[in-house]
Amino acid sequence: MSTGKKEKKLWGGRFSGDTAPLVESYTCSLGFDSRMYAQDIDGSKAHAAMLARQGIISDAEREALHQGLEQVRGEIESGTFDWRQDLEDVHMNIEHRLTEIVGTPGQKLHTGRSRNDQVALDFRLFVAACLEEWAGNLRGLVGVLVQRAGEHQDSLLPGCTHFQPAQPVSLAQHLLAYAQMFRRDHDRVRDALARVRVSPLGAAALAGTTHPLDPGQVAATLGLGGTFANSMDAVSDRDFVLEGVFCGSLVMMHLSRLCEEIIIWANPQFGFVRLPDAYSTGSSIMPQKKNPDVAELMRGKTGRVYGDLVSLLTLMKGLPLAYNRDMQEDKEPFLDTHDTVAPSLAIMAGMLAELGFNRERMRLALKAGFLNATELADYLAAKGVPFRQAHHITGAAVAFAEGRGVGLEDLSLADLQRFSGDIGEEVFAVLDYENAVARRHVPGGTGPASVDRQIETLVAWLSTQP
Ligand code: ARG
């Protein structure tokens, strides 16, 4: 980035003195908003086309502007563009260079437009592109979860409540719970996109314009869903950024929960998963270590995205209408969120695809926690024993088995009958872990028929997505 040029600012008509150097670097947003150069160029081309169609500039001028803007794009993409700090931001840098290239038509481009509606448009286009990317990544992640669930319909593991062993579930059911979270995230992102894809161009500084603009044309050219309803709202609304970061916060919260499980499962005391080499690291001192750093880092990065959300909410809370320069601070939290959410989703999909599940270790864990106790209580209740009594009887049987260091299924029928005369030989089928899972065929339950239906529904959903 270059500094030190001493020519008049684009807005410098009424100024006679120079900006203080420290103020110039303090107010400059190029360090982050240059990332919106493509959106700025697309927005300006759409504006120029509309100006020509409305008879405000000539077709030749529009053509010159379009060619000039494409030349600017080429210079930026080839790295030859001279970004100038004294020109403040991406918008002024592009307009200035455009005018150097095309002359007078460049000076007409800003007719009926303010940087206030220009920056709002550019940022909306940028946020929309990012949300599209998240939606694609979310679909990819759901696809991997569904695929892994399909492979593990008969792998059983302890389902927990209070992080204590509760009831056996299939690994498929466990993974599909996350598939549901990420599907909701996907739908939430798509829903937010409808509000992001609104063109604010034509609101100008805040009050609209006297030029005969057609905001609908600009929106149509850019493939946006509609135009602003109120010019003051159009230039000062940042809900669309906040919604994006909120969606990102939920995505990270869901990813972080999954990371937490992977970290726990990778601990050799659990040994439920083997981390793929490509997604883990070693220790510089302890040769035996294989650490879940990727999952830990993702869990940690969740905090920074929440921070972005709180920054933005705080940024906006005290602002009177309409545009305030404070709002230049809206970009970095969103960019930080995007730079966290997009790779986190892709990395989680890659890590899950290669995660090795240890079915034997999961199975062994079933035995440790009396996961079939509810089966015994339900069995007695089905035989007419009031459930509270059945619960009590089962608790006593658990304490007895625990004292012997065995599972309920390892007790003899005679031992079990000491707790209730209603217990018969068929109890052993009831205590069987596979049966405990298989009998839960309530829709959405962990039973294989229900899991099949869940997978079918998600596969059908994935196939309808673009
Ligand atoms: N760089 C500014 C931003 O990001 C552009 C808008 C400046 N508008 C103005 N009237 N100073 O918000």
Side-chain angles (χ1 to χ4, degrees):
M1 201 192 303
S2 65
T3 49
K5 293 252 171 68
K6 281 284 167 278
E7 65 187 74
K8 269 229 176 298
K9 307 272 188 209
L10 291 178
W11 42 253
R14 54 122 51 225
F15 288 79
S16 49
D18 290 335
T19 313
L22 201 52
V23 169
E24 206 161 85
S25 62
Y26 191 74
T27 52
C28 179
S29 52
L30 272 183
F32 44 89
D33 69 12
S34 54
R35 284 178 66 176
M36 306 196 305
Y37 78 87
Q39 288 74 22
D40 193 69
I41 290 170
D42 293 344
S44 286
K45 285 178 73 177
H47 182 63
M50 180 274 295
L51 290 177
R53 244 175 280 137
Q54 297 300 100
I56 300 168
I57 62 172
S58 70
D59 287 347
E61 286 170 325
R62 182 212 51 218
E63 203 38 47
L65 287 170
H66 277 203
Q67 282 181 17
L69 284 162
E70 284 309 322
Q71 182 177 328
V72 171
R73 193 197 303 270
E75 290 176 7
I76 293 173
E77 291 179 355
S78 65
T80 58
F81 190 87
D82 178 25
W83 292 104
R84 282 177 41 185
Q85 179 178 282
D86 61 310
L87 291 173
E88 261 183 59
D89 58 25
V90 64
H91 322 291
M92 306 279 245
N93 266 269
I94 290 178
E95 186 186 324
H96 182 272
R97 177 67 188 130
L98 173 69
T99 305
E100 274 181 359
I101 297 168
V102 305
T104 310
Q107 296 183 328
K108 293 191 177 179
L109 175 63
H110 214 48
T111 311
R113 188 173 75 167
S114 154
R115 258 191 303 162
N116 299 346
D117 57 349
Q118 183 180 3
V119 70
L121 173 68
D122 294 1
F123 201 20
R124 281 176 179 274
L125 292 172
F126 188 89
V127 170
C130 295
L131 296 195
E132 286 288 357
E133 189 179 333
W134 302 359
N137 290 355
L138 283 160
R139 287 194 298 275
L141 180 54
V142 171
V144 172
L145 284 161
V146 169
Q147 150 99 36
R148 298 307 315 258
E151 297 163 17
H152 288 282
Q153 281 172 277
D154 46 19
S155 306
L156 305 189
L157 79 162
C160 291
T161 64
H162 313 268
F163 197 51
Q164 298 294 315
Q167 290 177 339
V169 292
S170 69
L171 178 56
Q173 176 77 351
H174 199 120
L175 296 174
L176 290 171
Y178 284 98
Q180 292 299 333
M181 296 177 218
F182 294 119
R183 181 194 162 159
R184 284 197 299 278
D185 287 338
H186 171 277
D187 292 351
R188 208 173 346 258
V189 165
R190 293 230 74 90
D191 183 56
L193 266 167
R195 282 177 294 279
V196 177
R197 293 177 171 290
V198 174
S199 177
L201 217 64
L206 79 165
T209 175
T210 54
H211 296 283
L213 302 190
D214 181 358
Q217 271 185 44
V218 173
T221 306
L222 293 169
L224 297 175
T227 57
F228 64 98
N230 177 292
S231 61
M232 294 180 80
D233 181 44
V235 290
S236 68
D237 167 25
R238 292 296 182 271
D239 297 2
F240 68 96
V241 193
L242 271 156
E243 274 197 74
V245 176
F246 174 69
C247 290
S249 298
L250 275 192
V251 166
M252 290 308 296
M253 182 269 282
H254 289 147
L255 285 172
S256 186
R257 294 183 69 179
L258 182 50
C259 287
E260 175 73 7
E261 306 230 49
I262 291 171
I263 292 162
I264 290 167
W265 287 354
N267 180 307
Q269 287 164 45
F270 273 77
F272 289 2
V273 296
R274 223 173 26 270
L275 294 168
D277 283 354
Y279 293 89
S280 51
T281 56
S283 157
S284 56
I285 177 168
M286 297 166 282
Q288 85 284 10
K289 295 267 277 183
K290 191 169 187 186
N291 294 328
D293 293 47
V294 176
E296 293 168 88
L297 205 46
M298 206 175 285
R299 187 178 57 182
K301 283 176 184 287
T302 303
R304 65 189 294 152
V305 173
Y306 294 178
D308 294 334
L309 181 62
V310 174
S311 291
L312 280 168
L313 286 167
T314 312
L315 172 69
M316 295 307 294
K317 72 180 271 292
L319 299 187
L321 290 175
Y323 176 83
N324 300 272
R325 187 62 177 263
D326 314 46
M327 286 152 76
Q328 179 167 292
E329 290 286 307
D330 60 359
K331 317 279 176 321
E332 284 166 294
F334 181 80
L335 290 169
D336 184 64
T337 291
H338 175 63
D339 292 342
T340 307
V341 169
S344 295
L345 285 168
I347 287 170
M348 179 56 85
M351 181 160 65
L352 272 180
E354 290 183 36
L355 201 61
F357 291 104
N358 189 330
R359 299 160 56 114
E360 290 66 44
R361 290 295 302 234
M362 292 181 183
R363 251 214 103 78
L364 274 174
L366 287 177
K367 291 217 56 114
F370 296 98
L371 282 108
N372 48 7
T374 311
E375 306 314 304
L376 180 56
D378 281 343
Y379 162 80
L380 289 168
K383 288 202 153 195
V385 180
F387 185 76
R388 283 292 157 224
Q389 280 179 37
H391 188 285
H392 205 79
I393 292 166
T394 306
V398 165
F400 178 79
E402 198 170 34
R404 290 203 179 173
V406 297
L408 286 175
E409 67 280 14
D410 302 316
L411 297 177
S412 67
L413 183 58
D415 279 340
L416 284 166
Q417 283 172 339
R418 286 157 60 166
F419 300 97
S420 167
D422 288 304
I423 297 178
E425 184 63 40
E426 68 287 351
V427 75
F428 293 104
V430 170
L431 291 175
D432 179 77
Y433 297 107
E434 250 87 30
N435 286 342
V437 170
R439 292 170 63 220
R440 287 185 156 66
H441 30 58
V442 60
T446 189
S450 153
V451 166
D452 276 342
R453 265 196 311 278
Q454 293 181 52
I455 291 177
E456 270 166 36
T457 308
L458 284 167
V459 167
W461 175 74
L462 282 166
S463 74
T464 61
Q465 297 305 311

